[in-house]
Amino acid sequence: MKIPFNRPARVGAEIEHIRDAIHRAKLSGDGRYTAACQAEISRLAGGGNCLLTHSCTAALEMSMLLIDLVPGDEVILPSFTFVSTANAVVLRGATPVFIDIRPDTLNLDERAVEEAISSRTRAIVAVHYAGLPAEMDVLNAAADRHGLVVVEDAAQAIGATYRGRSAGSLGAMAAFSFHETKNVISGEGGALVVNDPRFVDRAEIVREKGTNRRQFLRGAVDKYTWVDIGSSYLPSELVAAYLYGQFEQFDAIQQDRMQTWTRYAEALGGLEALGFGLPHCPDHCTHNGHIFYLIAPTAVLRDRLIAAMKADGIDTPFHYVPLHDAPFGRKVGRSIGDLAVTDDISSRLLRLPLYFGAGEDAERVIERVWHHARLLAG
Ligand SMILES: Cc1ncc(COP(=O)(O)O)c(C=O)c1O
């Protein structure tokens, strides 16, 4: 029996909600399910103003539109991230400035930020890798000193906390993902949470193709028109209906993932004696059990372990191919230092299957990882 890396879960009333949305004959965006999801996300993310989007990619693009990036502007971000973090910058004609990550949390290294700041820097994007928040107090202090905007790429981080505060409440804006690989899903999906009041009104407009349609629907203006730059970032009510079914089971989903994550951590902790690295969560943070990764002792051993697991029918993919060294990243970006940690980690990291209801599968994964790790590294 094959064990995939991810199984998109249906956990509750998703189908009933979709049926209900169809019955209500309201399928475009911003109906009752969108509103219900936004209220839930806002609650989980510390109370900011939430706008549902069709992806985290869209939410990141909105954030870069909202800060009015222009060609020549620079945005600091880790090289060890998904392409959407950087594309949002490049789509505005601006320059992504890649910095290294910390070897312990794999989040952007806040100590590298000062050196990366230039007269053109406008923003820092803090990726909360594996659902573990970056060092936000340090990043916000640097941003305050230099008049920069901090955006959280919280794609993976719903429900995580930093010094008791929720992911999504830690920057001026935060982008979440509900892609089918995330903890809470709708196939494709996302949200932008806006905390800084400067961006709240415009965020609505940018999401509605640059029109003030939302104000019109609220009765705040008597006709709606084109008032700003924007695009179509709303998801359909069908997508929101599925997502709402997931949010109704949010605690059960998080608990289940954390159980599998903790089981991996306990059962595989002994791999450290064979030279493997395991995830580390600082005391002042909580993560959300989004990713369980291993860092193999060498790149060769990582590739062999992935191949051996694949031969057993178990998918344990690596990521990310560093953006600073990707063909397009080299063309449009700028790097600070040699990004040695990024290069090293991305050559040695693999992720274990982790999804809602992974329990039994995880036991087999643990057994096979030990088997191969002993042969390869013992
Ligand atoms: C860190 C990060 N940012 C952005 C994204 C993009 O999310 P989406 O697929 O919802 O556009 C992802 C997706 O995996 C991600 O991991």
Side-chain angles (χ1 to χ4, degrees), residues 38-59:
Q38 287 176 169
E40 241 349 74
I41 296 161
S42 171
R43 188 180 68 76
L44 291 165
N49 201 282
C50 177
L51 295 170
L52 210 61
T53 59
H54 53 69
S55 62
C56 179
T57 301

Side-chain angles (χ1 to χ4, degrees), residues 51-166:
L51 295 170
L52 210 61
T53 59
H54 53 69
S55 62
C56 179
T57 301
L60 288 166
E61 286 177 24
M62 282 177 66
S63 72
M64 294 299 134
L65 277 166
L66 286 166
I67 60 177
D68 283 325
L69 282 187
V70 296
D73 283 350
E74 296 182 350
V75 176
I76 297 168
L77 64 151
S79 168
F80 189 71
T81 184
F82 192 66
V83 287
S84 297
T85 324
N87 265 329
V89 176
V90 177
L91 279 164
R92 307 311 320 139
T95 303
V97 175
F98 299 114
I99 63 171
D100 214 345
I101 50 170
R102 296 171 56 116
D104 54 352
T105 62
L106 315 191
N107 276 326
L108 88 174
D109 190 339
E110 66 283 357
R111 293 159 298 193
V113 165
E114 281 292 342
E115 192 195 335
I117 294 173
S118 76
S119 59
R120 308 302 305 259
T121 308
R122 300 286 317 286
I124 303 168
V125 186
V127 178
H128 302 323
Y129 178 67
L132 171 67
E135 272 309 322
M136 295 304 293
D137 282 354
V138 181
L139 297 173
N140 280 318
D144 286 348
R145 278 196 300 279
H146 297 276
L148 313 177
V149 177
V150 175
V151 175
E152 299 172 69
D153 182 339
Q156 307 173 4
I158 189 102
T161 64
Y162 173 81
R163 299 192 189 282
R165 283 132 55 202
S166 303

